[in-house]
Amino acid sequence: MAKRQNPAEAETPVAETPEETAARLKQGKGVPTPSRREQEAARKRPLVPTDRKEAARAARAKQAEAREKARIGMAAGDDRYLTARDRGPQRRFVRDYVDARFSIGEFLIPVMLIVIVLTFLPWPAMQVYGLFALWGFFFVAVVDCIVLGFLIQRRVGDKFGKTKVERGLRWYGAMRALQLRIMRLPKPQVKRGQYPS
């Protein structure tokens, strides 16, 4: 029969802080395995922080830092931060090919701005000539994008194999070619004339 212990003789347990419990639980061999209660106590955190304003401020700062890191990573062309549309070796190849090439479509936005200014002039002939010039330039840019699409299809097929060409690369290249070089995201990684191999 087990001997009963007198309650007066029993030791009173000393309360540990969660930090002390966590430090004790992280010790290596030679220490008894902590009980479930001790492990749960070491993991406990308050559901609601004591200073909500400070917690919200810290969360905003952390999110701003993560956004800034993602923005810099995307501008640099780091695959971890790119959108699904821009990810992959074939898309990188298309970006580099378009960035190395001189495209007429890059100047579409400045030409449109000039035509808008021309429409404010009081001479109707200038307005008509400006619109004709805009439509002519637009037609040339579309033809340039079509030619670019065929070149992209051929170059990507030569590099990655004709059967493994992703869908939508021609459109991806054309949309990038129509943007001003300084406005492209991810930022151009190659100089003009430095075609990918």
Side-chain angles (χ1 to χ4, degrees):
M1 211 158 150
K3 181 178 175 186
R4 291 200 173 195
Q5 202 173 5
N6 187 355
E9 295 174 0
E11 294 180 22
T12 56
V14 178
E16 271 186 345
T17 64
E19 292 82 17
E20 292 172 342
T21 307
R24 188 170 52 80
L25 294 178
K26 286 185 180 176
Q27 293 174 352
K29 292 183 176 183
V31 178
T33 304
S35 68
R36 180 183 204 142
R37 182 181 293 165
E38 290 172 341
Q39 289 177 345
E40 287 174 354
R43 285 193 307 260
K44 273 190 182 174
R45 289 184 188 88
L47 292 175
V48 179
T50 53
D51 186 5
R52 294 182 106 164
K53 286 184 180 180
E54 181 61 36
R57 199 173 301 122
R60 275 196 304 273
K62 190 175 180 181
Q63 288 173 345
E65 181 182 323
R67 276 194 305 270
E68 180 65 15
K69 190 176 178 183
R71 187 190 66 78
I72 291 170
M74 181 167 181
D78 189 355
D79 268 348
R80 293 175 294 174
Y81 300 106
L82 294 178
T83 59
R85 178 196 68 182
D86 297 319
R87 243 181 245 138
Q90 291 184 11
R91 303 281 172 147
R92 178 180 293 276
F93 182 84
V94 170
R95 280 196 308 271
D96 291 346
Y97 187 80
V98 170
D99 293 339
R101 183 177 182 272
F102 174 78
S103 298
I104 295 170
E106 291 180 46
F107 301 105
L108 192 60
I109 294 174
V111 168
M112 285 180 170
L113 289 175
I114 291 170
V115 169
I116 289 172
V117 169
L118 287 177
T119 59
F120 288 114
L121 295 178
W123 306 296
M126 280 299 260
Q127 295 173 356
V128 172
Y129 291 140
L131 285 175
F132 278 131
L134 175 65
W135 280 107
F137 193 84
F138 184 73
F139 177 73
V140 171
V142 168
V143 170
D144 182 48
C145 286
I146 292 170
V147 170
L148 174 66
F150 285 114
L151 289 172
I152 285 172
Q153 195 78 19
R154 188 175 58 189
R155 298 285 165 95
V156 170
D158 291 344
K159 180 164 174 98
F160 296 100
K162 302 249 185 243
T163 59
K164 296 184 179 182
V165 176
E166 289 180 24
R167 290 183 52 143
L169 291 180
R170 295 165 100 176
W171 182 257
Y172 181 70
M175 290 299 103
R176 189 165 177 89
L178 290 175
Q179 295 174 354
L180 286 169
R181 186 175 168 91
I182 58 171
M183 294 176 68
R184 293 177 184 166
L185 267 181
K187 297 284 183 197
Q189 304 294 315
V190 295
K191 294 179 181 173
R192 289 203 194 270
Q194 187 181 353
Y195 289 95
S197 56

